Amino acid sequence: MIAVVQEIINSAVTTGPTVLMPQGLNFRRPIDVVNAPAISADDKRAILAAWASDFYALDSRPALRHIPGTPEPVSIDDVCSALEELDRRYEN
């Protein structure tokens, strides 16, 4: 039973927010999520929130985030800036 639970956890860690990303879209930077026309504002916010999560912080450099499917880590400041831009674009 413990092995099954660990396998589920490992799978979730590996896929992470990539589960939220539509097939065929590869994001290099957080602003790429904001600029993606095929994704709703709510889904963009969910992707960026996951990207900002401490779960994806690098152990040795906590100001950097790296999610599966992205080529390199990005700063938490870049993720926050993308979230702010998203808010500006979709203000009601």
Side-chain angles (χ1 to χ4, degrees):
M1 180 66 166
I2 293 174
V4 171
V5 171
Q6 188 60 48
E7 185 177 325
I8 292 168
I9 291 169
N10 290 342
S11 176
V13 168
T14 301
T15 58
T18 59
V19 171
L20 301 172
M21 295 183 196
Q23 295 285 331
L25 292 179
N26 295 316
F27 302 116
R28 296 183 62 79
R29 313 293 301 163
I31 196 67
D32 295 340
V33 176
V34 176
N35 292 329
I39 304 174
S40 73
D42 288 339
D43 287 346
K44 290 176 183 185
R45 188 165 280 106
I47 292 167
L48 291 169
W51 206 333
S53 169
D54 285 343
F55 186 80
Y56 295 102
L58 298 183
D59 288 335
S60 59
R61 302 192 57 200
L64 295 178
R65 302 293 189 269
H66 193 215
I67 60 171
T70 59
E72 59 191 18
V74 298
S75 75
I76 186 64
D77 292 339
D78 287 347
V79 180
C80 290
S81 292
L83 280 164
E84 289 171 4
E85 178 61 23
L86 184 67
D87 287 343
R88 274 193 292 277
R89 291 185 189 187
Y90 292 96
E91 276 184 356
N92 290 335

